[in-house]
Amino acid sequence: MTSTSSTSAHEPAVHEPAVHEPAVHEPAVHEPAVHEPAVHDVPPPGGRDAPPAGGAPVGSPRNGLVSSAAGALATLALLVLLPYAHPSLSRLRLLTPLPEGEGLVVVPAPAPVASIGETTLATETTEQAELRQPEEVALPAAAAELLPAAVASEGKPPRPIEDPSGKAMTPFFRALAAVERKAPGSIARITYFGDSIVASDFVTSTLRRKLQKRFGDAGHGFMLMANAWPGYFHNDVVRFASRGWQVSRVVGPFAKDGLYGLGGVSFRSQGAGVFSRFATAETGTYGRAVSRFAVDYLKHPEGGRMEIKIDGESREMIDTRAAEAGSAIATYEVPDGPHGIEVRAHGPGVRAFGVWMERDEPGVVLDAIGIQGCRIRFLDKSDDAHFAEQLRARSPSLTVFHYGMNESEDGELFPLDQVESTMKAVLEQVTAALPESSCMLVGPMDRADKKGEVYRSRPVIPKLAAIQRRVAAQVGCGYFDTFGAMGGSGSMGVWVQRGLGGADLAHPSGAGAEVIGRWLYLALMEAYEAWKASAAAGRP
């Protein structure tokens, strides 16, 4: 077992009073699995519907024109009519019928409430077979004429990896070259951060499989201890977790110490019995073997004991108590093949972040680190030294950032100059922690609103794409223009009509995610082959 430690910690900025959610005591953890539909957080009502306080004084005559009820009705009428006074408020008009289908759109989760505390995971992490992405996705027939390059020959991508420096991708390509020549111990590791698209292993599963098919399967990579959100999922692996983990997340509720591990979530045991299991896939081509498990957890003064079981047999009892808080990685070697690991708390105070699975075979690993409702700036909620320590412990050859969905939901309510400055700050922090690694930004998809039969792209999307392209160039990262690859403004409407866009006009369908994953693979391979040709010719 190896460990690294960090003693630096600070509280994230909080703009509202701290809120400590009450602990929820659940029944025994071995109850039958409960499958719940995915839900999206909604902002608290904030008392909007509470009746006005007060009323007529005792003994005074009732006057309907000056009563509290009449005042409330007058205020309500003013609020209803106010959006009709200016076109910019048209979306708030209540007396105008919704355009067809608009009321059925599900939007991404709003920005989190800035509270410090924990919430209880009341649902077991189960198989969620309905989220599984098939290894071969049949694209809709209507998409073939729209995407001939992606559908027909897997040839040239619609957009290249943009790299003004000419060297942003070099560390990753060197790792790929070592893997391709089967150098012993070589792994090309990708740590891929993103929002809800990545949280469901959309796009990332396609990219992982295609890279592993060409270069070799070196393992599945990092996974959270349990489903921190209803739609969290990983393909090509078996996962199960009991209910009852207490969680703090970079999207709220926040951890007071800012320690969230690599995946942006801290899991804490409130007592004995909570557990998480991870195992190799039982079907399919990928994820069928593992040589090494690693448990990412926190040593700290209030730490408890956790037991590690491999293939059902106890391997180690770890006391996570320590004088100071610091990251720790417990690593367990197994003969390459099908295996499983269980992490079980034997009391309160265990804090764990996740598990990763790898192999002693040359190949590619891709960590899909998706955080539902996340904006890239939320990664800065982590303590700086702790996050850098976690990145170095994982040591990726390439770090990818796939954001923009939730920034587009914000529109320009969060100023775009601050979107740019905070994005740059996060990328500079990552590149400082990983100076010998590559980084890449994947630009936002088009996003639309439907008015009658017309789809109109949101004006903020090309602005966000331009910001990401500019920041990538400034920091020295590669950039893939998803918006341009889709066709630019107006493309989401076409994608929806061709079966590639989701009903919310913001996410891809399963087929659309497959297409974007193919594009990323093709763009990376195009750049890789060009790099190899340049290296063979002796050019730097």
Side-chain angles (χ1 to χ4, degrees):
M1 180 174 72
T2 60
S3 65
T4 55
S5 299
S6 168
T7 59
S8 173
H10 67 82
E11 294 188 15
V14 178
H15 303 289
E16 295 186 10
V19 177
H20 296 275
E21 301 192 17
V24 178
H25 298 277
E26 295 290 342
V29 297
H30 297 290
E31 294 185 5
V34 177
H35 298 272
E36 296 183 1
V39 296
H40 294 266
D41 294 334
V42 295
R48 288 178 297 183
D49 298 326
V58 177
S60 64
R62 292 182 176 271
N63 186 332
L65 296 178
V66 297
S67 69
S68 298
L73 288 173
T75 302
L76 178 60
L78 179 62
L79 291 174
V80 170
L81 295 174
L82 184 61
Y84 293 85
H86 197 279
S88 66
L89 302 176
S90 61
R91 296 183 66 183
L92 302 179
R93 293 173 182 173
L94 301 179
L95 303 180
T96 303
L98 281 173
E100 180 183 352
E102 186 158 306
L104 304 177
V105 173
V106 179
V107 299
V113 176
S115 62
I116 291 178
E118 295 176 324
T119 189
T120 303
L121 297 184
T123 304
E124 293 174 333
T125 294
T126 56
E127 184 179 5
Q128 295 177 285
E130 70 279 4
L131 296 178
R132 188 179 298 131
Q133 187 84 335
E135 290 186 11
E136 297 296 332
V137 177
L139 300 183
E145 61 185 79
L146 179 66
L147 307 163
V151 175
S153 63
E154 297 231 343
K156 188 176 176 62
R159 286 289 190 279
I161 302 293
E162 299 178 23
D163 177 15
S165 72
K167 58 184 180 181
M169 305 301 294
T170 296
F172 178 57
F173 292 158
R174 285 176 178 158
L176 278 182
V179 166
E180 193 167 36
R181 63 177 181 265
K182 302 300 180 184
S186 59
I187 291 181
R189 189 178 293 115
I190 303 170
T191 298
Y192 197 121
F193 292 94
D195 47 36
S196 53
I197 295 176
V198 179
S200 295
D201 208 16
F202 267 28
V203 177
T204 44
S205 64
T206 298
L207 181 58
R208 182 191 300 113
R209 288 165 173 172
K210 290 191 173 299
L211 288 169
Q212 290 183 344
K213 182 177 181 179
R214 172 169 174 177
F215 295 96
D217 179 355
H220 183 81
F222 178 89
M223 297 158 284
L224 292 175
M225 295 300 295
N227 288 1
W229 306 274
Y232 184 81
F233 183 75
H234 278 257
N235 288 283
D236 306 324
V237 71
V238 176
R239 301 167 52 250
F240 183 86
S242 67
R243 64 187 72 190
W245 285 106
Q246 306 288 117
V247 296
S248 299
R249 306 170 292 209
V250 295
V251 292
F254 300 131
K256 185 176 181 180
D257 54 16
L259 307 181
Y260 301 96
L262 186 67
V265 185
S266 170
F267 295 80
R268 185 182 67 84
S269 67
Q270 199 172 32
V274 292
F275 67 91
S276 300
R277 294 175 183 151
F278 308 83
T280 48
E282 298 172 351
T283 60
T285 306
Y286 305 95
R288 302 299 297 272
V290 64
S291 308
R292 181 171 52 256
F293 294 100
V295 181
D296 186 4
Y297 69 99
L298 187 74
K299 288 189 171 183
H300 62 110
E302 292 79 37
R305 294 189 309 148
M306 66 179 183
E307 182 182 12
I308 307 300
K309 293 183 178 181
I310 304 292
D311 298 332
E313 300 293 328
S314 183
R315 176 68 72 93
E316 185 178 13
M317 183 72 74
I318 300 175
D319 187 351
T320 68
R321 185 169 306 184
E324 296 181 342
S327 300
I329 310 294
T331 303
Y332 303 94
E333 306 288 340
V334 294
D336 190 64
H339 298 282
I341 187 172
E342 178 182 288
V343 181
R344 180 179 290 267
H346 278 250
V350 171
R351 279 182 69 180
F353 304 125
V355 166
W356 62 75
M357 298 165 59
E358 293 190 343
R359 301 179 66 199
D360 290 328
E361 297 284 337
V364 172
V365 173
L366 192 152
D367 305 325
I369 303 181
I371 304 172
Q372 187 172 323
C374 194
R375 288 79 169 154
I376 191 171
R377 64 182 184 271
F378 291 174
L379 297 181
D380 197 40
K381 297 293 184 183
S382 287
D383 173 82
D384 291 351
H386 172 74
F387 188 47
E389 177 182 65
Q390 288 281 312
L391 289 167
R392 287 192 293 267
R394 198 68 190 105
S395 188
S397 308
L398 170 64
T399 308
V400 180
F401 300 89
H402 191 162
Y403 292 96
M405 178 75 62
N406 296 296
E407 284 87 347
S408 72
E409 180 66 16
D410 296 338
E412 298 189 37
L413 294 177
F414 188 82
L416 294 183
D417 62 334
Q418 294 184 42
V419 170
E420 183 164 354
S421 63
T422 54
M423 181 186 303
K424 185 177 181 182
V426 167
L427 294 180
E428 287 177 339
Q429 180 183 358
V430 172
T431 55
L434 301 169
E436 303 302 320
S437 299
S438 296
C439 62
M440 184 174 79
L441 277 76
V442 177
M445 297 179 63
D446 188 30
R447 182 172 183 175
D449 294 303
K450 188 178 181 183
K451 307 297 182 182
E453 296 302 318
V454 178
Y455 296 87
R456 291 190 175 89
S457 295
R458 293 196 178 183
V460 75
I461 294 295
K463 297 178 183 179
L464 291 172
I467 287 171
Q468 291 196 11
R469 174 183 281 112
R470 185 162 56 245
V471 170
Q474 292 171 350
V475 178
C477 298
Y479 176 72
F480 181 79
D481 181 11
T482 313
F483 177 66
M486 290 177 65
S489 293
S491 57
M492 178 55 82
V494 178
W495 270 48
V496 170
Q497 293 169 334
R498 303 295 177 91
L500 299 176
D504 62 355
L505 312 183
H507 291 79
S509 65
E514 174 77 8
V515 167
I516 296 173
R518 289 185 189 183
W519 282 350
L520 289 173
Y521 171 75
L522 293 173
L524 284 169
M525 292 303 95
E526 179 185 63
Y528 174 59
E529 294 299 336
W531 175 85
K532 286 200 302 181
S534 178
R539 296 190 295 272

